[in-house]
Amino acid sequence: MADKKRKQKRRRSDLSSDDEAVLPFKDILIPDSDLLETLKQLLGAHNAVSTSTSSSKPLTLSDLNLSATCREVTDLSLSSVQSAIETLILQVAHSIVAGNGFSFQVPSRASTNQLYVPELDRIVLKDKSTQRPFSHVSSVRKSTITVKILSLIHQLCLKNIHVTKRDLFYTDVKLFQDQTQSDAVLDDVACMLGCTRSSLNVIASEKGVVVGRLTFSDNGDMIDCTKMGMGGKAIPPNIDRVGDMQSDALFILLVEKDAAYIRLAEDRFYNRFPCIIVTAKGQPDVATRLFLRKMKMELKLPVLALVDSDPYGLKILSVYGCGSKNMSYDSANLTTPDIKWLGIRPSDLDKYKIPEQCRLPMTEQDIKTGKDLLEEDFVKKNPGWVEELNLMVKTKQKAEIQALSTFGFQYLSEVYLPLKLQQKDWL
Amino acid sequence: MADKKRKQKRRRSDLSSDDEAVLPFKDILIPDSDLLETLKQLLGAHNAVSTSTSSSKPLTLSDLNLSATCREVTDLSLSSVQSAIETLILQVAHSIVAGNGFSFQVPSRASTNQLYVPELDRIVLKDKSTQRPFSHVSSVRKSTITVKILSLIHQLCLKNIHVTKRDLFYTDVKLFQDQTQSDAVLDDVACMLGCTRSSLNVIASEKGVVVGRLTFSDNGDMIDCTKMGMGGKAIPPNIDRVGDMQSDALFILLVEKDAAYIRLAEDRFYNRFPCIIVTAKGQPDVATRLFLRKMKMELKLPVLALVDSDPYGLKILSVYGCGSKNMSYDSANLTTPDIKWLGIRPSDLDKYKIPEQCRLPMTEQDIKTGKDLLEEDFVKKNPGWVEELNLMVKTKQKAEIQALSTFGFQYLSEVYLPLKLQQKDWL
């Protein structure tokens, strides 16, 4: 114990020798044992809330009597996808034989057909759909593309392999013309079949990494994320082959940017404070969103987010939390509820005395994005977030996570994060 | 054996049922055992060449009597970097005390100071350098920045931690003003000290992944890349903590794009044909280049490259092989000699009957880039490459690796690559 304290003291004094700048909070020494206690309380409180609010399972559209007017998709097995496609094509054949021609009924994914459901804290699709008849000059191409995509997905089901959207496009460049067309119909098909895009075995390029107190299986191989060095484990592009998640972590730390991730991975932050560290290196991709949700759901851990103090940081947080408008039909499977905003928050800039020259002036576009966010339901429902965002728009200042480097490279892992955690300073 | 053949047959017939298009070479059945023999020959020939041309170690500038007129840097240990900085600053102090003021002598990294050395097959720096006096209005800022960067690197040496360029920038935003300034001086400092940028413990964001017949240690953890599922192992950002490479592979397959990597990883191509598969997902980053070089050097394996058939594919290949102009001072440590161009080559488009609609017309800019490449020394020295590039510029057609999906999603891993390898069709 005495040894531990000495070690901490050494760390702290290293830091102060770093820089002539006055280090905010440098004199506060938090024993690791106290901090661990705080984190255990966080986990306990998190579990108490999740068991009390939803005694057995999370709320669904049908619990809210919204299943008739709203639409969500679910994960389907490959064989279910296969039967769904066969049933659909049989219906089409019957319709043709009966002399009614053929037409697809396609759920609308337009923004006018989207709805934020506060009880679920997610964006979902409403029930509007449109006809896509083959025998109409305006939709003959789109219905042909739909048939082609259905047939390709059917092949993937038979072979049980995964392909990228780009692969799909290249199977018939003459028909699709450009990739946006095959991509859009792919989302249509997922909606029509009522399944997630990952159920279709079409995957996006992976870019996320994970490191820390987690073991899981990737395509049959057991992965121990405490033994992944500094590089970490690349998050698999196909969530359906991920399983057997085990962890002794007390929380998940979701990091926006690569640089902060590298700092925490090298310092093995997860050994001092048992946690799992995950990043998508910027914009959240589908694979990382699915992986984060799976961790949160299976391991029942609180998620704390470390993002830049700018409108895009908050927007990224909201994509993880509530979904993107683009994929709102799939929000139930892609979103991770109840993510806490740990930092960097606009109020941190003064609290942690971030020097003026490390803060950046917000552009007109930044300010507009910030004001737009204030109108969003998922921000409005959290008074703390509204307050922070108002402060950002008022001061017209933003800052990156890296701005903390001004106090020494390890200020993030050695002072800022421990202090934040100790003070339970999340929203 | 009979069983093996049956299995192959099944694979092939799966493919033909895929698509109505005529599959090029679908009837050629290569037994895996024959192909393995071919690959063993490739490895043998590769080792014979590397031992005969450089009996003990690769050529250096001094072997060519160029060390007086050309400049390259080497990997230095942290303590050597530390002493080099201290020596440099002592010299400055002596100069000031002697009344001569202070000035840095900085190697020029301009393109006029770069030279392609055919014997080394690399771009290196010539010996021009410039003075950077503190007491001159045009260089006072730059010399101040140089002192600051030297002092930050000195701190990193003392602590033995790694930081990103972005971290470095944020330690003094007022001085650096924008990140390009601290980045440029960082490269200057590496040149001045005669060491690689990675020796300075300043790392770039990682984006590469590796999978297949390789084990190595990352920051003390042993990694088995045959057990990394489909996601693969993220390539560590800091090569100095990578070691203990072991492999039973016969070659390294360098892949330009993520989509092709995913196909090969899911099909566990490396189990059928013992290899290591690596990709930087587009533009080669420093971490992936260092990792590829280390694999090639330590494991003594031939490297075969699979890139798009366009000028950028060849450019990417050349960055891995000969270095980028930007980092030419560090070319010896960043480049992997003797990479073979496996595909997709311009002549493949007709040979493999890639349909017209999957080929893309080259833009004016593409054609210009292609013609510029034809003037580059590293292309000229390889008559096969010149021929292919001439064909590309003449036909004005390009194609992505993904264009092979037109013959079925697994055409790449089941037909194209085995055939290429069997026919030793690399340049």
Side-chain angles (χ1 to χ4, degrees), chain B residues 314-368:
Chain B
L314 192 57
K315 210 157 186 169
I316 281 175
L317 209 165
S318 83
V319 169
Y320 282 113
C322 316
S324 67
K325 300 213 160 163
N326 209 10
M327 299 271 294
S328 48
Y329 70 90
D330 198 359
S331 66
N333 306 286
L334 284 171
T335 56
T336 305
D338 194 28
I339 298 179
K340 307 291 188 195
W341 188 8
L342 184 68
I344 311 291
R345 297 206 308 270
S347 62
D348 287 348
L349 304 194
D350 282 344
K351 188 171 169 194
Y352 289 87
K353 301 191 173 51
I354 306 288
E356 280 299 321
Q357 70 267 23
C358 296
R359 308 181 189 190
L360 303 168
M362 287 169 77
T363 63
E364 284 303 313
Q365 183 57 46
D366 290 340
I367 295 169
K368 190 183 168 303

Side-chain angles (χ1 to χ4, degrees), chain B residues 43-242:
Chain B
L43 180 60
H46 172 263
N47 285 338
V49 170
S50 33
T51 43
S52 75
T53 52
S54 55
S55 53
S56 55
K57 55 190 187 113
L59 275 180
T60 64
L61 285 176
S62 58
D63 296 330
L64 300 168
N65 286 324
L66 282 171
S67 53
T69 54
C70 289
R71 183 193 308 269
E72 284 191 309
V73 297
T74 53
D75 275 322
L76 289 185
S77 68
L78 270 195
S79 57
S80 309
V81 172
Q82 190 188 327
S83 333
I85 294 173
E86 288 162 2
T87 310
L88 187 66
I89 295 299
L90 262 178
Q91 284 168 356
V92 167
H94 282 305
S95 168
I96 295 171
V97 170
N100 300 322
F102 104 73
S103 175
F104 291 113
Q105 178 138 350
V106 184
S108 159
R109 296 184 293 107
S111 61
T112 52
N113 198 37
Q114 296 174 357
L115 179 73
Y116 171 76
V117 182
E119 294 87 347
L120 299 175
D121 190 19
R122 287 202 302 267
I123 304 166
V124 301
L125 271 195
K126 291 189 280 186
D127 62 347
K128 227 183 93 191
S129 65
T130 52
Q131 288 294 321
R132 188 174 287 174
F134 180 70
S135 59
H136 195 291
V137 72
S138 75
S139 54
V140 58
R141 276 204 65 240
K142 260 203 158 167
S143 56
T144 311
I145 292 176
T146 311
V147 173
K148 180 71 186 178
I149 295 282
L150 283 166
S151 117
L152 289 168
I153 303 295
H154 195 252
Q155 277 181 36
L156 294 181
C157 294
L158 293 175
K159 291 192 180 173
N160 190 15
I161 58 169
H162 295 79
V163 300
T164 61
K165 292 195 208 173
R166 191 79 180 153
D167 284 312
L168 223 50
F169 162 69
Y170 263 113
T171 58
D172 201 338
V173 177
K174 213 181 219 159
L175 173 63
F176 299 138
Q177 291 175 357
D178 73 85
Q179 200 190 323
T180 55
Q181 301 198 23
S182 51
D183 285 358
V185 171
L186 183 69
D187 282 327
D188 289 342
V189 163
C191 278
M192 285 162 65
L193 301 177
C195 69
T196 60
R197 200 173 69 196
S198 43
S199 305
L200 302 178
N201 273 18
V202 178
I203 54 186
S205 155
E206 55 186 318
K207 59 189 190 98
V209 283
V210 60
V211 80
R213 303 288 196 103
L214 172 72
T215 58
F216 69 97
S217 65
D218 175 1
N219 208 5
D221 297 331
M222 277 312 297
I223 311 288
D224 181 350
C225 296
T226 60
K227 301 214 173 82
M228 284 293 133
M230 193 162 147
K233 170 74 177 87
I235 290 177
N238 48 341
I239 196 73
D240 52 322
R241 301 227 175 137
V242 169

Side-chain angles (χ1 to χ4, degrees), chain A residues 86-184:
Chain A
E86 289 162 1
T87 310
L88 188 65
I89 295 298
L90 262 178
Q91 283 167 357
V92 167
H94 282 305
S95 169
I96 294 172
V97 170
N100 300 324
F102 102 75
S103 175
F104 291 112
Q105 178 139 351
V106 184
S108 158
R109 296 185 294 105
S111 61
T112 51
N113 197 36
Q114 295 174 357
L115 179 74
Y116 172 77
V117 182
E119 294 87 347
L120 300 175
D121 190 19
R122 285 201 304 267
I123 304 166
V124 301
L125 271 195
K126 292 189 280 185
D127 62 347
K128 225 182 95 193
S129 65
T130 52
Q131 287 295 320
R132 187 174 288 174
F134 180 71
S135 59
H136 195 291
V137 71
S138 75
S139 54
V140 58
R141 277 203 65 241
K142 261 202 160 169
S143 56
T144 311
I145 293 176
T146 311
V147 173
K148 180 73 187 178
I149 295 281
L150 283 166
S151 118
L152 290 168
I153 303 295
H154 195 252
Q155 275 180 38
L156 294 181
C157 293
L158 293 176
K159 291 192 181 173
N160 190 14
I161 59 169
H162 295 79
V163 300
T164 61
K165 292 194 208 173
R166 191 77 181 154
D167 283 312
L168 223 50
F169 163 68
Y170 262 113
T171 57
D172 200 338
V173 177
K174 213 180 218 157
L175 173 64
F176 300 138
Q177 292 177 358
D178 74 86
Q179 201 190 322
T180 54
Q181 302 198 23
S182 51
D183 286 358

Side-chain angles (χ1 to χ4, degrees), chain A residues 20-259:
Chain A
E20 319 83 75
V22 179
L23 288 185
F25 304 102
K26 76 176 162 92
D27 298 327
I28 297 176
L29 194 78
I30 314 158
D32 280 9
S33 54
D34 288 13
L35 224 165
L36 280 180
E37 207 37 62
T38 308
L39 292 172
K40 279 178 193 156
Q41 284 165 19
L42 166 66
L43 179 60
H46 172 264
N47 284 339
V49 170
S50 34
T51 43
S52 76
T53 52
S54 54
S55 54
S56 56
K57 55 189 186 113
L59 275 180
T60 64
L61 284 176
S62 57
D63 296 330
L64 300 167
N65 286 324
L66 281 173
S67 53
T69 55
C70 289
R71 184 194 305 271
E72 282 192 311
V73 297
T74 54
D75 275 321
L76 289 185
S77 68
L78 269 195
S79 59
S80 309
V81 172
Q82 189 188 327
S83 332
I85 294 174
E86 289 162 1
T87 310
L88 188 65
I89 295 298
L90 262 178
Q91 283 167 357
V92 167
H94 282 305
S95 169
I96 294 172
V97 170
N100 300 324
F102 102 75
S103 175
F104 291 112
Q105 178 139 351
V106 184
S108 158
R109 296 185 294 105
S111 61
T112 51
N113 197 36
Q114 295 174 357
L115 179 74
Y116 172 77
V117 182
E119 294 87 347
L120 300 175
D121 190 19
R122 285 201 304 267
I123 304 166
V124 301
L125 271 195
K126 292 189 280 185
D127 62 347
K128 225 182 95 193
S129 65
T130 52
Q131 287 295 320
R132 187 174 288 174
F134 180 71
S135 59
H136 195 291
V137 71
S138 75
S139 54
V140 58
R141 277 203 65 241
K142 261 202 160 169
S143 56
T144 311
I145 293 176
T146 311
V147 173
K148 180 73 187 178
I149 295 281
L150 283 166
S151 118
L152 290 168
I153 303 295
H154 195 252
Q155 275 180 38
L156 294 181
C157 293
L158 293 176
K159 291 192 181 173
N160 190 14
I161 59 169
H162 295 79
V163 300
T164 61
K165 292 194 208 173
R166 191 77 181 154
D167 283 312
L168 223 50
F169 163 68
Y170 262 113
T171 57
D172 200 338
V173 177
K174 213 180 218 157
L175 173 64
F176 300 138
Q177 292 177 358
D178 74 86
Q179 201 190 322
T180 54
Q181 302 198 23
S182 51
D183 286 358
V185 171
L186 184 69
D187 281 327
D188 289 342
V189 163
C191 278
M192 285 162 65
L193 301 177
C195 69
T196 60
R197 202 173 66 195
S198 43
S199 305
L200 301 178
N201 273 17
V202 179
I203 53 185
S205 155
E206 56 185 316
K207 59 190 190 98
V209 284
V210 59
V211 80
R213 304 288 197 107
L214 172 72
T215 58
F216 69 97
S217 65
D218 175 1
N219 207 5
D221 296 330
M222 277 311 298
I223 311 288
D224 181 349
C225 296
T226 60
K227 301 212 173 82
M228 285 293 133
M230 194 161 148
K233 171 75 177 88
I235 289 178
N238 48 339
I239 196 74
D240 52 322
R241 302 227 174 135
V242 168
D244 308 312
M245 283 185 167
Q246 301 274 340
S247 176
D248 65 347
L250 297 173
F251 65 103
I252 297 167
L253 187 60
L254 175 65
V255 178
E256 176 181 346
K257 292 252 206 75
D258 206 30

